[in-house]
Amino acid sequence: MKRVILVMAGIFLIIAASPAYPYWIWTPKTGKWLNPKTMVKPSPKEQFYFALEFYELKKYDDAKREFKKLLKAYPKSFEASESQYYLGVIEEAKDNLYEAFQAYQLVIDKYPFSERVQEIIEREYKISESFIAGQKRKALGVALPVENPAIEILTKVVENSTYGPLAAKAQYKLGLLLKGLMRYYEAEEAFNKVISSYPDSEWVEAAKFQIAECRAALSRGPAYDQGAMQEAKQKFEEIIKENPEAALSAEAEKNIKKLKEKEAEGNYNIGLFYEKQKQYGAARVYYNDTIDNYPDSPWAAKCLQRLEELDK
């Protein structure tokens, strides 16, 4: 009798100590008390459809728990790859975009022969666009684990695609993203990969234009780089020569005009420097060079004015 009382007391204590789970089941086969919440179905297929029911009812937390149980119990099954995919879909549905990307990437890393690979690449690309557009988490105050998720995601899209339909586009977008962050050398490298890795893609001419713009941006930076300016002009001129009728050529011409104005300004400032040092002959050389080579620039008029002052 005492033994029965002790057993019953033990059951009561187990139940009382686990308020999250309403009951436990004694299994003679294992000789243990098991909680139904932690039990897995006899086969991966049964477990998968059990989890899928929760997903279809939009009970996402329950679905996540059941999919994760399947991954732990049947990691090498076909249903495991599908479960990992649905973990990504759930995170995306909850607007946890970075976690969704991580879950999707695990499908490619662990199950590279999954039929979902191309779909996952497309989903990852769309997630990168959301981050580029500035979409944030719904949960305020939660910091992302990386500073710029779109860079990581686009890099993975390129790696995953190899020569797939999104590879060249993702590589080009990666360059644009880096350029927007003023990481011009990295951006140039990304654009050069578009040209070298996908020479027949529609993004090649645009990549050439962006490389020229990166060179131009470097020449306009705080540290004036005349070499970068000359390279930028050369690259813009090549674009015009190769595609005289293209819309990019019109933009290239505008950029060349801006670069010439920058060169004229540089000449004027050098002439002004020599003039202040009373090296008037050297000053005249730079003023005259500006007038001769950049006659339409506003700096040419300023140089002419300085020459008139020197003559006086």
CSV table of all heavy atoms in Angstrom, one decimal, residues 1 6-7 9 13 27 63 73 76 80-81 93 97 105 120 124 179 212 240 244 264 266 279 290-291 304 306 309:
chain,number,residue,atom,x,y,z
A,1,MET,N,0.8,-1.2,0.0
A,1,MET,CA,0.0,0.0,0.0
A,1,MET,C,0.9,1.3,0.0
A,1,MET,O,0.6,2.2,-0.7
A,1,MET,CB,-0.9,0.0,1.2
A,1,MET,CG,-1.9,1.1,1.2
A,1,MET,SD,-3.1,1.0,-0.1
A,1,MET,CE,-4.1,2.4,0.2
A,6,LEU,N,3.4,5.9,-2.8
A,6,LEU,CA,4.7,6.6,-3.2
A,6,LEU,C,4.7,6.8,-4.7
A,6,LEU,O,5.1,7.9,-5.2
A,6,LEU,CB,5.9,5.8,-2.8
A,6,LEU,CG,6.2,5.8,-1.3
A,6,LEU,CD1,7.3,4.8,-1.0
A,6,LEU,CD2,6.7,7.2,-0.9
A,7,VAL,N,4.2,5.8,-5.5
A,7,VAL,CA,4.2,6.0,-6.9
A,7,VAL,C,3.2,7.1,-7.3
A,7,VAL,O,3.5,7.9,-8.2
A,7,VAL,CB,3.7,4.6,-7.6
A,7,VAL,CG1,3.4,4.8,-9.1
A,7,VAL,CG2,4.8,3.6,-7.4
A,9,ALA,N,2.3,9.6,-5.5
A,9,ALA,CA,2.9,10.9,-5.1
A,9,ALA,C,3.9,11.3,-6.1
A,9,ALA,O,4.0,12.5,-6.5
A,9,ALA,CB,3.5,10.7,-3.7
A,13,LEU,N,4.0,14.8,-8.3
A,13,LEU,CA,5.1,15.7,-8.3
A,13,LEU,C,5.6,16.0,-9.7
A,13,LEU,O,5.9,17.1,-10.1
A,13,LEU,CB,6.2,15.2,-7.5
A,13,LEU,CG,6.0,15.2,-6.0
A,13,LEU,CD1,7.1,14.4,-5.3
A,13,LEU,CD2,5.9,16.6,-5.5
A,27,THR,N,5.3,4.4,-20.7
A,27,THR,CA,5.5,3.4,-21.8
A,27,THR,C,6.2,2.2,-21.3
A,27,THR,O,7.4,2.3,-21.0
A,27,THR,CB,6.3,4.0,-23.0
A,27,THR,OG1,7.5,4.5,-22.5
A,27,THR,CG2,5.6,5.2,-23.6
A,63,ALA,N,4.2,24.5,-35.5
A,63,ALA,CA,4.7,23.9,-36.7
A,63,ALA,C,6.2,23.8,-36.6
A,63,ALA,O,6.9,22.8,-36.9
A,63,ALA,CB,4.3,24.7,-37.9
A,73,ALA,N,15.0,13.8,-35.3
A,73,ALA,CA,14.8,12.3,-35.3
A,73,ALA,C,15.1,11.6,-36.6
A,73,ALA,O,15.6,10.5,-36.6
A,73,ALA,CB,13.3,12.0,-34.9
A,76,LYS,N,18.3,12.4,-42.1
A,76,LYS,CA,18.7,12.1,-43.5
A,76,LYS,C,17.5,11.7,-44.4
A,76,LYS,O,17.7,11.3,-45.5
A,76,LYS,CB,19.6,10.9,-43.4
A,76,LYS,CG,21.0,11.2,-42.7
A,76,LYS,CD,21.9,10.0,-42.8
A,76,LYS,CE,23.2,10.4,-42.1
A,76,LYS,NZ,24.2,9.2,-42.1
A,80,ALA,N,13.2,15.6,-44.1
A,80,ALA,CA,14.1,16.6,-43.3
A,80,ALA,C,14.4,17.8,-44.2
A,80,ALA,O,14.3,18.9,-43.7
A,80,ALA,CB,15.4,15.8,-43.0
A,81,SER,N,14.7,17.6,-45.5
A,81,SER,CA,14.9,18.8,-46.3
A,81,SER,C,13.7,19.6,-46.5
A,81,SER,O,13.8,20.9,-46.4
A,81,SER,CB,15.4,18.3,-47.7
A,81,SER,OG,14.4,17.6,-48.4
A,93,ALA,N,7.2,34.2,-43.2
A,93,ALA,CA,5.8,34.6,-43.0
A,93,ALA,C,5.7,35.5,-41.7
A,93,ALA,O,4.8,36.4,-41.6
A,93,ALA,CB,4.9,33.4,-42.8
A,97,LEU,N,13.2,38.1,-41.6
A,97,LEU,CA,13.8,37.9,-43.0
A,97,LEU,C,15.2,37.3,-42.9
A,97,LEU,O,15.6,36.4,-43.7
A,97,LEU,CB,13.8,39.2,-43.8
A,97,LEU,CG,12.5,39.8,-44.1
A,97,LEU,CD1,12.6,41.0,-45.0
A,97,LEU,CD2,11.6,38.7,-44.7
A,105,GLN,N,19.2,28.8,-46.4
A,105,GLN,CA,20.6,28.5,-46.8
A,105,GLN,C,21.0,27.1,-46.2
A,105,GLN,O,21.8,26.4,-46.9
A,105,GLN,CB,21.5,29.5,-46.3
A,105,GLN,CG,23.0,29.4,-46.8
A,105,GLN,CD,23.1,29.4,-48.3
A,105,GLN,OE1,22.4,30.2,-48.9
A,105,GLN,NE2,23.9,28.5,-48.8
A,120,ILE,N,14.5,28.4,-53.6
A,120,ILE,CA,15.2,29.0,-52.4
A,120,ILE,C,16.1,30.2,-52.9
A,120,ILE,O,16.1,31.2,-52.2
A,120,ILE,CB,16.0,27.9,-51.7
A,120,ILE,CG1,15.0,27.0,-50.9
A,120,ILE,CG2,17.0,28.6,-50.7
A,120,ILE,CD1,15.6,25.8,-50.3
A,124,GLU,N,15.8,33.9,-51.5
A,124,GLU,CA,16.9,34.6,-50.9
A,124,GLU,C,17.1,35.9,-51.6
A,124,GLU,O,17.4,37.0,-51.0
A,124,GLU,CB,18.2,33.7,-51.0
A,124,GLU,CG,18.1,32.6,-50.0
A,124,GLU,CD,19.4,31.8,-50.0
A,124,GLU,OE1,20.2,31.9,-51.0
A,124,GLU,OE2,19.7,31.0,-49.1
A,179,LYS,N,28.8,50.1,-53.9
A,179,LYS,CA,29.0,51.4,-54.4
A,179,LYS,C,28.2,52.4,-53.6
A,179,LYS,O,28.6,53.5,-53.2
A,179,LYS,CB,28.6,51.5,-55.9
A,179,LYS,CG,28.8,52.9,-56.5
A,179,LYS,CD,28.1,52.9,-57.9
A,179,LYS,CE,28.1,54.3,-58.4
A,179,LYS,NZ,27.1,54.4,-59.5
A,212,ALA,N,33.3,52.8,-64.3
A,212,ALA,CA,33.8,54.1,-64.6
A,212,ALA,C,33.3,55.1,-63.5
A,212,ALA,O,34.0,56.0,-63.1
A,212,ALA,CB,33.3,54.5,-66.0
A,240,ILE,N,31.1,55.1,-74.8
A,240,ILE,CA,30.5,55.8,-75.9
A,240,ILE,C,30.9,55.2,-77.2
A,240,ILE,O,30.1,55.1,-78.1
A,240,ILE,CB,30.9,57.3,-75.8
A,240,ILE,CG1,30.3,57.9,-74.5
A,240,ILE,CG2,30.5,58.1,-77.0
A,240,ILE,CD1,30.9,59.3,-74.2
A,244,PRO,N,27.4,53.9,-79.1
A,244,PRO,CA,27.1,55.3,-79.3
A,244,PRO,C,25.6,55.7,-79.1
A,244,PRO,O,25.3,56.8,-78.7
A,244,PRO,CB,27.6,55.6,-80.7
A,244,PRO,CG,27.7,54.3,-81.3
A,244,PRO,CD,28.0,53.3,-80.3
A,264,ALA,N,39.5,71.0,-64.8
A,264,ALA,CA,39.7,72.5,-65.0
A,264,ALA,C,39.9,73.2,-63.6
A,264,ALA,O,40.7,74.0,-63.5
A,264,ALA,CB,38.6,73.1,-65.8
A,266,GLY,N,40.9,71.8,-60.9
A,266,GLY,CA,42.2,71.4,-60.4
A,266,GLY,C,43.4,72.2,-61.0
A,266,GLY,O,44.2,72.7,-60.2
A,279,GLN,N,55.4,82.4,-58.2
A,279,GLN,CA,56.0,81.7,-59.3
A,279,GLN,C,55.0,81.9,-60.5
A,279,GLN,O,54.3,81.0,-60.9
A,279,GLN,CB,56.1,80.2,-59.0
A,279,GLN,CG,57.1,79.9,-57.8
A,279,GLN,CD,57.3,78.4,-57.6
A,279,GLN,OE1,57.3,77.6,-58.5
A,279,GLN,NE2,57.5,78.1,-56.3
A,290,THR,N,44.2,75.6,-68.9
A,290,THR,CA,42.7,75.5,-68.6
A,290,THR,C,41.9,76.2,-69.7
A,290,THR,O,40.9,75.7,-70.2
A,290,THR,CB,42.4,76.1,-67.3
A,290,THR,OG1,43.2,75.5,-66.3
A,290,THR,CG2,40.9,76.0,-66.9
A,291,ILE,N,42.4,77.3,-70.1
A,291,ILE,CA,41.7,78.1,-71.2
A,291,ILE,C,41.7,77.3,-72.5
A,291,ILE,O,40.7,77.3,-73.3
A,291,ILE,CB,42.4,79.5,-71.4
A,291,ILE,CG1,42.1,80.3,-70.1
A,291,ILE,CG2,41.8,80.2,-72.6
A,291,ILE,CD1,43.0,81.6,-70.0
A,304,LEU,N,41.3,83.3,-67.1
A,304,LEU,CA,41.5,84.4,-68.0
A,304,LEU,C,41.6,85.7,-67.1
A,304,LEU,O,42.4,86.6,-67.3
A,304,LEU,CB,40.3,84.6,-69.0
A,304,LEU,CG,40.5,85.7,-70.0
A,304,LEU,CD1,41.7,85.5,-70.8
A,304,LEU,CD2,39.2,85.7,-70.9
A,306,ARG,N,42.5,85.8,-64.0
A,306,ARG,CA,43.8,85.8,-63.2
A,306,ARG,C,45.0,86.2,-64.1
A,306,ARG,O,45.9,86.9,-63.7
A,306,ARG,CB,44.1,84.4,-62.7
A,306,ARG,CG,43.2,83.8,-61.7
A,306,ARG,CD,42.8,84.8,-60.5
A,306,ARG,NE,44.0,85.4,-59.9
A,306,ARG,CZ,44.0,86.5,-59.3
A,306,ARG,NH1,42.9,87.2,-59.2
A,306,ARG,NH2,45.1,87.0,-58.8
A,309,GLU,N,45.0,89.9,-64.4
A,309,GLU,CA,45.6,90.5,-63.2
A,309,GLU,C,47.1,90.4,-63.2
A,309,GLU,O,47.8,91.3,-62.7
A,309,GLU,CB,45.0,89.7,-61.9
A,309,GLU,CG,43.6,90.0,-61.6
A,309,GLU,CD,43.3,91.4,-61.2
A,309,GLU,OE1,44.2,92.0,-60.6
A,309,GLU,OE2,42.2,92.0,-61.6
